[in-house]
Amino acid sequence: MYRVSVIGTGFVGLCTAVCFADRGYMVLASTKNKDKARLVNKAISPFYEPSLKEMLQKAVKKEYLKAVLGREEAILHSDVTFITVGTPSKRDGSIDLRFIRQTAKEIGKALRKKKGKHLVVVKSTVGPGTTENVVKPILEKNSGKKCGEDFLLCFNPEFLREGSAIHDTLHPDFIVIGEYNKKSGDFLEELYRDFYKDALPPMVRTNPATAELIKYANNSFLATKISFINTIANICEKIPGVDVKTVAEVIGKDRRISPYFLRAGLGWGGSCFPKDVKALIAFSKSLGYEPAMLETAWEVNEDQVKHAVERVKEKLGTLKGKKIAILGLSFKPDTDDMREARSVKIIKKLLKESATVTAYDPKAIPNARRILGDKIKYTTSAVKCLRDADCCILVTEWEEFKELKPEDMSENMRRPILIDGRRIFNPKKFSVALDYWGIGLGKP
Ligand code: UDX
């Protein structure tokens, strides 16, 4: 069995490491963050992700997974290394390759001392051409070895969704191998054949630049699909009796469209869609092509937030001194991740209008506090959040909010106005005692 190392213990790195360890591979997870290494070695997950805690505990206990601080140790004691370091956005939307370059340099230096074959796999999302034009030369220069012969190289994107990352790793729809040469691709294919055994997903082998673009195209398509249905939602709101949920449900039955990623709402956030759409726009522009459709998808997403705040103002007039209850802070349910969360944008706009904001989220309050500090109040339950509010905006569709009844709102709020930003409540039931507005719902 090949030994695996993972560089970077963020969301993708740790989930990848834990899944390999769970299948019996010896895994070294390399991080420069001492606190993170200590947490992982104590089997404590540094962030919330369903099933991660249990799998991490099992892996550490059985000694299949160990976090190490150095890169060299990780490379020398493994056969394949996944690079999963961050690729943050720069001001112009293009991605910052600082961590990729640094990691490639460190891996290169370690490879100089390495005997035997080694495969380097870039998993971090990078622009087309990066693996071959940036990572490969740095690896070659620092190792003094030749790529494709002395060491092997692939780009292998991940398609993990937060909240179901473990499931997505174990049951992907497909695997993409962007191989520097056939030998490199053969190695990674062999590893995945061993990992998935009889449940091997369809595997596509292509060159690294195509694989790099596939990742951007995948996320940009999904983000555009959501912006599309949000556009339809905004049209629906102008037509009495028309509901975007019905429209989405029916067009989703057309197999060419599919029902997924057709939920209208306050728009997309998270660590991938905004960053990747922005990066593809910047990349495309750098090649001299204006990707108008992606730019529009981005604008529609920004407008959804403005649209919701406008609705609150329509209902309340001035927001000065009004108390707004925000249900849900994380960028989506089942995660404590606040990156590019719509809640932050909405709250900032409300604060700018001098509203007071009270928020509740089952998991994300500690992370939200780091961004919003004490500019808003936090509560320990949804009902407490609703108390004396002039308006409630449902921002993230956590399961527990689906249990709320109209009375929870009408009996606790000062003014029972509800903005259902993710369409989780039954409009008929909630319209009886409440001034209910759901995204994409034309008033009867
Ligand atoms: C996404 C991709 O799905 C995944 O393949 C990639 O590897 C990383 O980015 P993630 O960001 O975890 O995953 O969440 P996802 O479930 O895709 O949702 C992204 C955003 O879109 C969320 O803010 C969510 O609320 C929003 N969304 C999703 C909608 O508004 N409507 C939908 O129908 C689906």
Side-chain angles (χ1 to χ4, degrees), residues 188-229:
L188 192 53
E189 176 167 343
E190 192 189 331
L191 177 70
Y192 280 135
R193 281 191 181 278
D194 183 60
F195 182 90
Y196 289 106
K197 304 245 165 17
D198 293 340
L200 184 75
M203 197 172 316
V204 179
R205 286 177 60 169
T206 180
N207 57 46
T210 305
E212 287 158 338
L213 187 60
I214 285 171
K215 167 70 189 189
Y216 276 130
N218 198 286
N219 275 350
S220 298
F221 180 82
L222 294 173
T224 306
K225 192 173 175 188
I226 300 167
S227 282
F228 168 81
I229 202 65

mmCIF file of all heavy atoms in Angstrom, residues 188-229:
data_model
loop_
_atom_site.group_PDB
_atom_site.id
_atom_site.type_symbol
_atom_site.label_atom_id
_atom_site.label_comp_id
_atom_site.label_asym_id
_atom_site.label_seq_id
_atom_site.Cartn_x
_atom_site.Cartn_y
_atom_site.Cartn_z
ATOM 1 N N LEU A 188 -1.233 7.640 -10.267
ATOM 2 C CA LEU A 188 -2.402 8.133 -9.528
ATOM 3 C C LEU A 188 -3.616 7.231 -9.775
ATOM 4 O O LEU A 188 -4.390 6.958 -8.855
ATOM 5 C CB LEU A 188 -2.696 9.590 -9.917
ATOM 6 C CG LEU A 188 -3.711 10.323 -9.032
ATOM 7 C CD1 LEU A 188 -3.352 10.250 -7.548
ATOM 8 C CD2 LEU A 188 -3.843 11.792 -9.443
ATOM 9 N N GLU A 189 -3.747 6.752 -11.007
ATOM 10 C CA GLU A 189 -4.870 5.847 -11.289
ATOM 11 C C GLU A 189 -4.754 4.585 -10.432
ATOM 12 O O GLU A 189 -5.745 4.112 -9.866
ATOM 13 C CB GLU A 189 -4.897 5.476 -12.783
ATOM 14 C CG GLU A 189 -6.005 4.465 -13.064
ATOM 15 C CD GLU A 189 -6.346 4.252 -14.526
ATOM 16 O OE1 GLU A 189 -5.981 5.091 -15.365
ATOM 17 O OE2 GLU A 189 -6.998 3.231 -14.804
ATOM 18 N N GLU A 190 -3.542 4.075 -10.309
ATOM 19 C CA GLU A 190 -3.328 2.856 -9.502
ATOM 20 C C GLU A 190 -3.732 3.113 -8.045
ATOM 21 O O GLU A 190 -4.384 2.281 -7.412
ATOM 22 C CB GLU A 190 -1.838 2.488 -9.593
ATOM 23 C CG GLU A 190 -1.523 1.113 -9.050
ATOM 24 C CD GLU A 190 -0.004 0.887 -8.970
ATOM 25 O OE1 GLU A 190 0.748 1.474 -9.773
ATOM 26 O OE2 GLU A 190 0.407 0.136 -8.075
ATOM 27 N N LEU A 191 -3.340 4.292 -7.544
ATOM 28 C CA LEU A 191 -3.684 4.637 -6.155
ATOM 29 C C LEU A 191 -5.202 4.672 -5.983
ATOM 30 O O LEU A 191 -5.748 4.099 -5.036
ATOM 31 C CB LEU A 191 -3.068 6.001 -5.790
ATOM 32 C CG LEU A 191 -3.395 6.532 -4.388
ATOM 33 C CD1 LEU A 191 -2.700 5.711 -3.306
ATOM 34 C CD2 LEU A 191 -2.991 8.000 -4.256
ATOM 35 N N TYR A 192 -5.899 5.327 -6.918
ATOM 36 C CA TYR A 192 -7.359 5.431 -6.793
ATOM 37 C C TYR A 192 -8.051 4.082 -7.023
ATOM 38 O O TYR A 192 -9.068 3.798 -6.407
ATOM 39 C CB TYR A 192 -7.910 6.508 -7.732
ATOM 40 C CG TYR A 192 -7.736 7.903 -7.160
ATOM 41 C CD1 TYR A 192 -7.263 8.952 -7.942
ATOM 42 C CD2 TYR A 192 -8.045 8.170 -5.823
ATOM 43 C CE1 TYR A 192 -7.105 10.231 -7.408
ATOM 44 C CE2 TYR A 192 -7.881 9.440 -5.287
ATOM 45 C CZ TYR A 192 -7.415 10.464 -6.073
ATOM 46 O OH TYR A 192 -7.266 11.721 -5.532
ATOM 47 N N ARG A 193 -7.487 3.260 -7.899
ATOM 48 C CA ARG A 193 -8.074 1.923 -8.097
ATOM 49 C C ARG A 193 -8.015 1.137 -6.797
ATOM 50 O O ARG A 193 -8.951 0.445 -6.411
ATOM 51 C CB ARG A 193 -7.334 1.153 -9.201
ATOM 52 C CG ARG A 193 -7.749 1.571 -10.576
ATOM 53 C CD ARG A 193 -7.222 0.649 -11.663
ATOM 54 N NE ARG A 193 -7.658 1.166 -12.947
ATOM 55 C CZ ARG A 193 -8.861 0.959 -13.471
ATOM 56 N NH1 ARG A 193 -9.734 0.192 -12.845
ATOM 57 N NH2 ARG A 193 -9.189 1.486 -14.626
ATOM 58 N N ASP A 194 -6.902 1.287 -6.094
ATOM 59 C CA ASP A 194 -6.731 0.590 -4.823
ATOM 60 C C ASP A 194 -7.662 1.193 -3.761
ATOM 61 O O ASP A 194 -8.249 0.483 -2.952
ATOM 62 C CB ASP A 194 -5.257 0.703 -4.379
ATOM 63 C CG ASP A 194 -5.009 -0.073 -3.104
ATOM 64 O OD1 ASP A 194 -5.234 -1.292 -3.129
ATOM 65 O OD2 ASP A 194 -4.623 0.547 -2.093
ATOM 66 N N PHE A 195 -7.805 2.511 -3.788
ATOM 67 C CA PHE A 195 -8.620 3.206 -2.786
ATOM 68 C C PHE A 195 -10.103 2.854 -2.947
ATOM 69 O O PHE A 195 -10.794 2.547 -1.982
ATOM 70 C CB PHE A 195 -8.412 4.727 -2.924
ATOM 71 C CG PHE A 195 -9.165 5.547 -1.915
ATOM 72 C CD1 PHE A 195 -8.594 5.886 -0.691
ATOM 73 C CD2 PHE A 195 -10.454 6.006 -2.183
ATOM 74 C CE1 PHE A 195 -9.286 6.651 0.240
ATOM 75 C CE2 PHE A 195 -11.160 6.763 -1.252
ATOM 76 C CZ PHE A 195 -10.562 7.089 -0.046
ATOM 77 N N TYR A 196 -10.605 2.912 -4.191
ATOM 78 C CA TYR A 196 -12.044 2.730 -4.413
ATOM 79 C C TYR A 196 -12.443 1.278 -4.675
ATOM 80 O O TYR A 196 -13.631 0.943 -4.626
ATOM 81 C CB TYR A 196 -12.529 3.621 -5.560
ATOM 82 C CG TYR A 196 -12.536 5.095 -5.188
ATOM 83 C CD1 TYR A 196 -11.572 5.958 -5.683
ATOM 84 C CD2 TYR A 196 -13.488 5.598 -4.314
ATOM 85 C CE1 TYR A 196 -11.566 7.307 -5.328
ATOM 86 C CE2 TYR A 196 -13.485 6.938 -3.948
ATOM 87 C CZ TYR A 196 -12.522 7.786 -4.460
ATOM 88 O OH TYR A 196 -12.521 9.106 -4.098
ATOM 89 N N LYS A 197 -11.477 0.434 -4.982
ATOM 90 C CA LYS A 197 -11.724 -0.990 -5.281
ATOM 91 C C LYS A 197 -12.898 -1.155 -6.268
ATOM 92 O O LYS A 197 -12.855 -0.581 -7.345
ATOM 93 C CB LYS A 197 -11.965 -1.760 -3.977
ATOM 94 C CG LYS A 197 -10.813 -1.609 -2.974
ATOM 95 C CD LYS A 197 -10.146 -2.909 -2.740
ATOM 96 C CE LYS A 197 -8.802 -2.888 -2.073
ATOM 97 N NZ LYS A 197 -8.274 -1.782 -1.348
ATOM 98 N N ASP A 198 -13.960 -1.882 -5.874
ATOM 99 C CA ASP A 198 -15.073 -2.165 -6.803
ATOM 100 C C ASP A 198 -15.936 -0.939 -7.071
ATOM 101 O O ASP A 198 -16.739 -0.930 -8.005
ATOM 102 C CB ASP A 198 -15.969 -3.268 -6.231
ATOM 103 C CG ASP A 198 -15.208 -4.575 -6.182
ATOM 104 O OD1 ASP A 198 -14.202 -4.695 -6.900
ATOM 105 O OD2 ASP A 198 -15.615 -5.470 -5.402
ATOM 106 N N ALA A 199 -15.805 0.077 -6.203
ATOM 107 C CA ALA A 199 -16.666 1.266 -6.362
ATOM 108 C C ALA A 199 -15.919 2.389 -7.076
ATOM 109 O O ALA A 199 -16.170 3.573 -6.811
ATOM 110 C CB ALA A 199 -17.133 1.730 -4.990
ATOM 111 N N LEU A 200 -15.044 2.022 -7.991
ATOM 112 C CA LEU A 200 -14.249 3.044 -8.689
ATOM 113 C C LEU A 200 -15.154 3.961 -9.518
ATOM 114 O O LEU A 200 -15.898 3.497 -10.382
ATOM 115 C CB LEU A 200 -13.224 2.369 -9.610
ATOM 116 C CG LEU A 200 -12.268 3.341 -10.317
ATOM 117 C CD1 LEU A 200 -11.225 3.867 -9.338
ATOM 118 C CD2 LEU A 200 -11.569 2.657 -11.490
ATOM 119 N N PRO A 201 -15.121 5.265 -9.259
ATOM 120 C CA PRO A 201 -15.947 6.184 -10.061
ATOM 121 C C PRO A 201 -15.366 6.343 -11.468
ATOM 122 O O PRO A 201 -14.192 6.007 -11.687
ATOM 123 C CB PRO A 201 -15.859 7.510 -9.296
ATOM 124 C CG PRO A 201 -14.877 7.332 -8.204
ATOM 125 C CD PRO A 201 -14.313 5.957 -8.250
ATOM 126 N N PRO A 202 -16.161 6.862 -12.420
ATOM 127 C CA PRO A 202 -15.599 7.103 -13.753
ATOM 128 C C PRO A 202 -14.365 7.999 -13.630
ATOM 129 O O PRO A 202 -14.364 8.954 -12.856
ATOM 130 C CB PRO A 202 -16.716 7.847 -14.483
ATOM 131 C CG PRO A 202 -17.943 7.627 -13.690
ATOM 132 C CD PRO A 202 -17.547 7.307 -12.292
ATOM 133 N N MET A 203 -13.324 7.638 -14.377
ATOM 134 C CA MET A 203 -12.073 8.375 -14.260
ATOM 135 C C MET A 203 -11.721 8.998 -15.610
ATOM 136 O O MET A 203 -11.784 8.329 -16.631
ATOM 137 C CB MET A 203 -10.977 7.412 -13.825
ATOM 138 C CG MET A 203 -9.797 8.159 -13.286
ATOM 139 S SD MET A 203 -8.539 7.142 -12.544
ATOM 140 C CE MET A 203 -9.319 5.968 -11.561
ATOM 141 N N VAL A 204 -11.386 10.276 -15.588
ATOM 142 C CA VAL A 204 -11.014 10.956 -16.826
ATOM 143 C C VAL A 204 -9.544 11.321 -16.731
ATOM 144 O O VAL A 204 -9.123 11.939 -15.753
ATOM 145 C CB VAL A 204 -11.838 12.256 -17.000
ATOM 146 C CG1 VAL A 204 -11.438 12.974 -18.277
ATOM 147 C CG2 VAL A 204 -13.325 11.959 -16.997
ATOM 148 N N ARG A 205 -8.775 10.918 -17.738
ATOM 149 C CA ARG A 205 -7.357 11.310 -17.757
ATOM 150 C C ARG A 205 -7.134 12.313 -18.874
ATOM 151 O O ARG A 205 -7.563 12.104 -20.005
ATOM 152 C CB ARG A 205 -6.478 10.065 -17.911
ATOM 153 C CG ARG A 205 -6.454 9.275 -16.606
ATOM 154 C CD ARG A 205 -5.680 8.008 -16.704
ATOM 155 N NE ARG A 205 -4.290 8.191 -17.051
ATOM 156 C CZ ARG A 205 -3.380 7.214 -16.979
ATOM 157 N NH1 ARG A 205 -3.752 6.009 -16.532
ATOM 158 N NH2 ARG A 205 -2.145 7.428 -17.333
ATOM 159 N N THR A 206 -6.497 13.410 -18.487
ATOM 160 C CA THR A 206 -6.282 14.468 -19.467
ATOM 161 C C THR A 206 -4.995 15.210 -19.102
ATOM 162 O O THR A 206 -4.273 14.789 -18.195
ATOM 163 C CB THR A 206 -7.522 15.420 -19.493
ATOM 164 O OG1 THR A 206 -7.295 16.443 -20.454
ATOM 165 C CG2 THR A 206 -7.773 16.082 -18.150
ATOM 166 N N ASN A 207 -4.719 16.315 -19.810
ATOM 167 C CA ASN A 207 -3.500 17.048 -19.446
ATOM 168 C C ASN A 207 -3.784 17.982 -18.260
ATOM 169 O O ASN A 207 -4.949 18.284 -17.964
ATOM 170 C CB ASN A 207 -2.945 17.813 -20.653
ATOM 171 C CG ASN A 207 -3.970 18.755 -21.237
ATOM 172 O OD1 ASN A 207 -4.627 19.484 -20.508
ATOM 173 N ND2 ASN A 207 -4.137 18.731 -22.544
ATOM 174 N N PRO A 208 -2.761 18.451 -17.560
ATOM 175 C CA PRO A 208 -2.999 19.268 -16.354
ATOM 176 C C PRO A 208 -3.815 20.527 -16.623
ATOM 177 O O PRO A 208 -4.729 20.850 -15.843
ATOM 178 C CB PRO A 208 -1.584 19.620 -15.874
ATOM 179 C CG PRO A 208 -0.710 18.528 -16.400
ATOM 180 C CD PRO A 208 -1.310 18.127 -17.714
ATOM 181 N N ALA A 209 -3.542 21.246 -17.714
ATOM 182 C CA ALA A 209 -4.254 22.516 -17.951
ATOM 183 C C ALA A 209 -5.752 22.275 -18.140
ATOM 184 O O ALA A 209 -6.585 23.045 -17.644
ATOM 185 C CB ALA A 209 -3.662 23.233 -19.169
ATOM 186 N N THR A 210 -6.115 21.183 -18.835
ATOM 187 C CA THR A 210 -7.549 20.886 -19.016
ATOM 188 C C THR A 210 -8.180 20.578 -17.665
ATOM 189 O O THR A 210 -9.267 21.067 -17.337
ATOM 190 C CB THR A 210 -7.743 19.689 -19.975
ATOM 191 O OG1 THR A 210 -7.064 19.972 -21.190
ATOM 192 C CG2 THR A 210 -9.197 19.417 -20.255
ATOM 193 N N ALA A 211 -7.470 19.779 -16.858
ATOM 194 C CA ALA A 211 -8.007 19.424 -15.533
ATOM 195 C C ALA A 211 -8.167 20.677 -14.674
ATOM 196 O O ALA A 211 -9.147 20.826 -13.939
ATOM 197 C CB ALA A 211 -7.079 18.423 -14.851
ATOM 198 N N GLU A 212 -7.214 21.594 -14.794
ATOM 199 C CA GLU A 212 -7.302 22.837 -14.014
ATOM 200 C C GLU A 212 -8.509 23.661 -14.447
ATOM 201 O O GLU A 212 -9.230 24.223 -13.612
ATOM 202 C CB GLU A 212 -5.997 23.644 -14.181
ATOM 203 C CG GLU A 212 -4.833 23.026 -13.413
ATOM 204 C CD GLU A 212 -3.447 23.436 -13.933
ATOM 205 O OE1 GLU A 212 -3.324 23.854 -15.102
ATOM 206 O OE2 GLU A 212 -2.483 23.303 -13.170
ATOM 207 N N LEU A 213 -8.765 23.697 -15.749
ATOM 208 C CA LEU A 213 -9.925 24.455 -16.231
ATOM 209 C C LEU A 213 -11.231 23.743 -15.874
ATOM 210 O O LEU A 213 -12.235 24.399 -15.578
ATOM 211 C CB LEU A 213 -9.842 24.717 -17.741
ATOM 212 C CG LEU A 213 -10.949 25.646 -18.266
ATOM 213 C CD1 LEU A 213 -10.895 27.012 -17.594
ATOM 214 C CD2 LEU A 213 -10.872 25.816 -19.765
ATOM 215 N N ILE A 214 -11.220 22.412 -15.869
ATOM 216 C CA ILE A 214 -12.431 21.650 -15.508
ATOM 217 C C ILE A 214 -12.918 22.079 -14.124
ATOM 218 O O ILE A 214 -14.105 22.308 -13.905
ATOM 219 C CB ILE A 214 -12.157 20.121 -15.551
ATOM 220 C CG1 ILE A 214 -12.089 19.649 -17.006
ATOM 221 C CG2 ILE A 214 -13.223 19.338 -14.781
ATOM 222 C CD1 ILE A 214 -11.607 18.210 -17.186
ATOM 223 N N LYS A 215 -11.977 22.214 -13.205
ATOM 224 C CA LYS A 215 -12.358 22.601 -11.841
ATOM 225 C C LYS A 215 -13.047 23.971 -11.833
ATOM 226 O O LYS A 215 -14.107 24.159 -11.238
ATOM 227 C CB LYS A 215 -11.108 22.612 -10.962
ATOM 228 C CG LYS A 215 -11.263 23.264 -9.625
ATOM 229 C CD LYS A 215 -12.130 22.462 -8.666
ATOM 230 C CE LYS A 215 -12.420 23.293 -7.421
ATOM 231 N NZ LYS A 215 -13.041 22.587 -6.363
ATOM 232 N N TYR A 216 -12.448 24.945 -12.533
ATOM 233 C CA TYR A 216 -13.050 26.286 -12.581
ATOM 234 C C TYR A 216 -14.391 26.264 -13.308
ATOM 235 O O TYR A 216 -15.345 26.933 -12.918
ATOM 236 C CB TYR A 216 -12.108 27.268 -13.295
ATOM 237 C CG TYR A 216 -11.062 27.851 -12.380
ATOM 238 C CD1 TYR A 216 -9.722 27.852 -12.718
ATOM 239 C CD2 TYR A 216 -11.429 28.419 -11.169
ATOM 240 C CE1 TYR A 216 -8.768 28.382 -11.871
ATOM 241 C CE2 TYR A 216 -10.490 28.958 -10.317
ATOM 242 C CZ TYR A 216 -9.159 28.939 -10.672
ATOM 243 O OH TYR A 216 -8.230 29.470 -9.834
ATOM 244 N N ALA A 217 -14.448 25.501 -14.394
ATOM 245 C CA ALA A 217 -15.683 25.451 -15.185
ATOM 246 C C ALA A 217 -16.805 24.821 -14.366
ATOM 247 O O ALA A 217 -17.950 25.291 -14.384
ATOM 248 C CB ALA A 217 -15.445 24.654 -16.468
ATOM 249 N N ASN A 218 -16.468 23.794 -13.610
ATOM 250 C CA ASN A 218 -17.458 23.103 -12.787
ATOM 251 C C ASN A 218 -18.084 24.064 -11.778
ATOM 252 O O ASN A 218 -19.308 24.226 -11.714
ATOM 253 C CB ASN A 218 -16.747 21.955 -12.066
ATOM 254 C CG ASN A 218 -17.704 20.909 -11.537
ATOM 255 O OD1 ASN A 218 -18.386 21.150 -10.562
ATOM 256 N ND2 ASN A 218 -17.762 19.779 -12.185
ATOM 257 N N ASN A 219 -17.246 24.717 -10.987
ATOM 258 C CA ASN A 219 -17.767 25.632 -9.968
ATOM 259 C C ASN A 219 -18.462 26.835 -10.601
ATOM 260 O O ASN A 219 -19.499 27.283 -10.112
ATOM 261 C CB ASN A 219 -16.632 26.106 -9.053
ATOM 262 C CG ASN A 219 -16.386 25.108 -7.934
ATOM 263 O OD1 ASN A 219 -17.163 24.181 -7.738
ATOM 264 N ND2 ASN A 219 -15.311 25.292 -7.199
ATOM 265 N N SER A 220 -17.909 27.347 -11.687
ATOM 266 C CA SER A 220 -18.519 28.529 -12.310
ATOM 267 C C SER A 220 -19.876 28.181 -12.906
ATOM 268 O O SER A 220 -20.797 29.000 -12.889
ATOM 269 C CB SER A 220 -17.614 29.096 -13.405
ATOM 270 O OG SER A 220 -16.407 29.507 -12.837
ATOM 271 N N PHE A 221 -19.988 26.983 -13.459
ATOM 272 C CA PHE A 221 -21.284 26.576 -14.011
ATOM 273 C C PHE A 221 -22.333 26.507 -12.905
ATOM 274 O O PHE A 221 -23.445 27.020 -13.050
ATOM 275 C CB PHE A 221 -21.189 25.219 -14.720
ATOM 276 C CG PHE A 221 -22.518 24.792 -15.280
ATOM 277 C CD1 PHE A 221 -22.951 25.287 -16.495
ATOM 278 C CD2 PHE A 221 -23.350 23.943 -14.570
ATOM 279 C CE1 PHE A 221 -24.199 24.946 -16.989
ATOM 280 C CE2 PHE A 221 -24.597 23.596 -15.054
ATOM 281 C CZ PHE A 221 -25.023 24.095 -16.277
ATOM 282 N N LEU A 222 -21.976 25.864 -11.790
ATOM 283 C CA LEU A 222 -22.943 25.714 -10.689
ATOM 284 C C LEU A 222 -23.344 27.085 -10.133
ATOM 285 O O LEU A 222 -24.515 27.335 -9.865
ATOM 286 C CB LEU A 222 -22.360 24.829 -9.588
ATOM 287 C CG LEU A 222 -22.133 23.369 -9.999
ATOM 288 C CD1 LEU A 222 -21.392 22.606 -8.908
ATOM 289 C CD2 LEU A 222 -23.458 22.675 -10.308
ATOM 290 N N ALA A 223 -22.346 27.965 -9.980
ATOM 291 C CA ALA A 223 -22.647 29.313 -9.473
ATOM 292 C C ALA A 223 -23.560 30.051 -10.458
ATOM 293 O O ALA A 223 -24.525 30.714 -10.061
ATOM 294 C CB ALA A 223 -21.346 30.082 -9.262
ATOM 295 N N THR A 224 -23.286 29.884 -11.744
ATOM 296 C CA THR A 224 -24.108 30.551 -12.769
ATOM 297 C C THR A 224 -25.527 29.978 -12.770
ATOM 298 O O THR A 224 -26.505 30.697 -12.950
ATOM 299 C CB THR A 224 -23.457 30.377 -14.163
ATOM 300 O OG1 THR A 224 -22.115 30.848 -14.084
ATOM 301 C CG2 THR A 224 -24.187 31.155 -15.243
ATOM 302 N N LYS A 225 -25.612 28.674 -12.532
ATOM 303 C CA LYS A 225 -26.928 28.028 -12.503
ATOM 304 C C LYS A 225 -27.774 28.632 -11.369
ATOM 305 O O LYS A 225 -28.956 28.906 -11.550
ATOM 306 C CB LYS A 225 -26.731 26.513 -12.301
ATOM 307 C CG LYS A 225 -27.977 25.709 -12.550
ATOM 308 C CD LYS A 225 -27.693 24.218 -12.514
ATOM 309 C CE LYS A 225 -28.977 23.427 -12.643
ATOM 310 N NZ LYS A 225 -28.811 21.991 -12.443
ATOM 311 N N ILE A 226 -27.134 28.858 -10.224
ATOM 312 C CA ILE A 226 -27.862 29.454 -9.090
ATOM 313 C C ILE A 226 -28.245 30.907 -9.432
ATOM 314 O O ILE A 226 -29.364 31.335 -9.157
ATOM 315 C CB ILE A 226 -27.026 29.390 -7.789
ATOM 316 C CG1 ILE A 226 -26.698 27.944 -7.425
ATOM 317 C CG2 ILE A 226 -27.780 30.063 -6.638
ATOM 318 C CD1 ILE A 226 -25.628 27.786 -6.359
ATOM 319 N N SER A 227 -27.313 31.639 -10.039
ATOM 320 C CA SER A 227 -27.654 33.025 -10.414
ATOM 321 C C SER A 227 -28.783 33.043 -11.438
ATOM 322 O O SER A 227 -29.620 33.952 -11.450
ATOM 323 C CB SER A 227 -26.426 33.760 -10.969
ATOM 324 O OG SER A 227 -25.582 34.155 -9.910
ATOM 325 N N PHE A 228 -28.821 32.035 -12.289
ATOM 326 C CA PHE A 228 -29.908 31.933 -13.266
ATOM 327 C C PHE A 228 -31.246 31.781 -12.548
ATOM 328 O O PHE A 228 -32.195 32.522 -12.819
ATOM 329 C CB PHE A 228 -29.676 30.743 -14.220
ATOM 330 C CG PHE A 228 -30.884 30.424 -15.042
ATOM 331 C CD1 PHE A 228 -31.170 31.164 -16.180
ATOM 332 C CD2 PHE A 228 -31.773 29.433 -14.649
ATOM 333 C CE1 PHE A 228 -32.317 30.912 -16.919
ATOM 334 C CE2 PHE A 228 -32.926 29.175 -15.380
ATOM 335 C CZ PHE A 228 -33.200 29.911 -16.523
ATOM 336 N N ILE A 229 -31.303 30.821 -11.599
ATOM 337 C CA ILE A 229 -32.597 30.594 -10.937
ATOM 338 C C ILE A 229 -32.956 31.788 -10.050
ATOM 339 O O ILE A 229 -34.131 32.107 -9.873
ATOM 340 C CB ILE A 229 -32.634 29.236 -10.173
ATOM 341 C CG1 ILE A 229 -34.078 28.775 -9.959
ATOM 342 C CG2 ILE A 229 -31.895 29.286 -8.850
ATOM 343 C CD1 ILE A 229 -34.864 28.436 -11.168
#
